[in-house]
């Protein structure tokens, strides 16, 4: 059964998104003394991450466990790297400790990088008696073709039903990507889609109506909630 998403339209996108994340962080830390958050890539999250890095946000960075929902297969200093974007906007300015960050190694063989990342998540899950690693919050974006993370229409990773992290070849980009799969994404307690003001309203409506041709519409956490934060 699909959980009905909560839709927030806001003219204060970065501030409201940052506040949402902070609230989720405080809740998770209060309940489990940790906050497992997966960062999304692309451009939309930039002002949100910058806002979180601003002084005055009393986030206990050492209790955060930051993962990445997807990564381009490039080195961490590459302009296309999602890690680099997060480091520039938040990780470095907020001096987030290394131990709180689990980076996808885009610079090595994609299959090895995906397996390595999945093994690291699986190890933590096992240590906590979880069948699959359960994020407190996964941030997701929405591509113009309805992709989310690096789950692009027509690509193999869409059909993955057991692996948690895979290497996914994306023909339209002629490039490999590392990405969470639906089994991992749908294990989350909360999903937050971050969608900027420029995104096609018709596309958003199609996803919200559940058009399964669009990968973003297949995000459906079995025991979690979905919120859409849409810039107005
Ligand atoms: C990536 C992202 C991807 C992104 C969408 C939206 O690696 O590109 O994870 O899923 O969220 O493509 O990108 P924008 O925010 O730049 O529109």
């Amino acid at each position: 059964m699909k959980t009905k998403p909560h839709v927030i339209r806001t003219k204060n996108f970065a501030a409201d998104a940052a506040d949402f994340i902070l609230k989720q962080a405080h809740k998770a830390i209060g309940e489990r003394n940790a906050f497992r958050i997966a960062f999304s890539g692309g451009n939309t999250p930039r002002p949100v991450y910058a806002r979180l890095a601003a002084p005055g946000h009393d986030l206990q960075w050492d209790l955060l466990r930051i993962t990445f929902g997807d990564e381009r297969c490039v080195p961490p200093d590459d302009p296309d790297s999602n890690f680099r974007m997060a480091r520039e906007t938040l990780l470095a300015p907020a001096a987030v400790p290394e131990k709180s960050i689990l980076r996808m190694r885009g610079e090595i063989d994609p299959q090895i990088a995906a397996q390595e990342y999945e093994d690291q998540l699986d190890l933590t899950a096992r240590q906590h008696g979880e069948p699959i690693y359960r994020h407190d919050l996964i941030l997701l974006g929405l591509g113009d073709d309805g992709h989310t993370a690096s789950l692009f229409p027509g690509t193999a990773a869409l059909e993955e039903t057991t692996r948690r992290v895979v290497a996914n070849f994306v023909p339209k980009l002629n490039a490999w990507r590392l990405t969470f799969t639906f089994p991992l994404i749908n294990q989350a307690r909360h999903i937050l889609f971050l969608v900027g003001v420029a995104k096609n309203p018709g596309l958003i409506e199609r996803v919200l109506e559940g058009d399964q041709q669009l990968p973003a519409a297949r995000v459906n956490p079995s025991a979690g909630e979905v919120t859409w934060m849409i810039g107005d």
Side-chain angles (χ1 to χ4, degrees):
M1 209 276 276
K2 190 158 178 59
T3 46
K4 189 146 176 50
H6 179 47
V7 179
I8 301 168
R9 296 181 192 278
T10 171
K11 295 201 180 316
N12 305 306
F13 179 75
D16 287 353
D19 288 348
F20 183 98
I21 293 165
L22 286 165
K23 208 163 22 178
Q24 291 289 320
H26 293 139
K27 181 171 181 292
I29 289 168
E31 290 170 2
R32 289 174 296 281
N33 203 36
F35 179 48
R36 298 178 179 176
I37 178 171
F39 279 6
S40 58
N43 295 307
T44 302
R46 282 181 178 274
V48 180
Y49 296 165
R51 183 84 184 202
L52 285 172
H57 291 122
D58 59 338
L59 251 184
Q60 296 164 274
W61 296 107
D62 59 322
L63 296 180
L64 264 67
R65 291 295 171 267
I66 299 168
T67 53
F68 290 79
D70 69 326
E71 184 56 279
R72 290 78 180 280
C73 290
V74 296
D77 291 322
D78 189 291
D80 279 348
S81 165
N82 286 335
F83 172 80
R84 174 173 159 170
M85 183 270 283
R87 183 179 60 201
E88 286 171 349
T89 53
L90 171 53
L91 304 179
V96 176
E98 288 285 314
K99 73 176 177 90
S100 296
I101 304 162
L102 185 60
R103 181 177 72 86
M104 286 181 165
R105 291 206 295 162
E107 68 274 23
I108 67 173
D109 172 85
Q111 305 296 344
I112 296 173
Q115 188 59 61
E116 164 186 279
Y117 208 78
E118 180 175 274
D119 291 347
Q120 288 166 310
L121 294 182
D122 285 354
L123 175 62
T124 302
R126 270 198 306 280
Q127 288 167 339
H128 291 78
E130 301 164 3
I132 299 184
Y133 187 91
R134 186 159 159 78
H135 283 87
D136 293 303
L137 179 63
I138 297 180
L139 305 181
L140 289 175
L142 177 63
D144 293 335
D145 58 3
H147 80 260
T148 194
S150 283
L151 298 166
F152 285 79
T155 60
L158 295 179
E159 307 317 319
E160 183 55 56
T161 56
T162 49
R163 293 284 311 272
R164 278 72 67 204
V165 182
V166 295
N168 191 31
F169 185 71
V170 185
K172 74 184 281 190
L173 304 174
N174 190 31
W176 285 91
R177 289 283 188 94
L178 301 173
T179 187
F180 283 6
T181 61
F182 288 121
L184 182 58
I185 290 171
N186 288 331
Q187 192 68 7
R189 296 177 195 278
H190 213 119
I191 304 281
L192 176 64
F193 277 97
L194 294 173
V195 181
V197 62
K199 209 54 82 171
N200 177 326
L203 172 68
I204 298 171
E205 284 322 305
R206 278 181 61 200
V207 175
L208 288 173
E209 282 159 9
D211 181 344
Q212 296 296 292
Q213 307 233 309
L214 302 172
R218 294 173 55 181
V219 170
N220 181 25
S222 49
E225 296 172 62
V226 180
T227 299
W228 285 72
M229 183 81 65
I230 302 170
D232 237 352

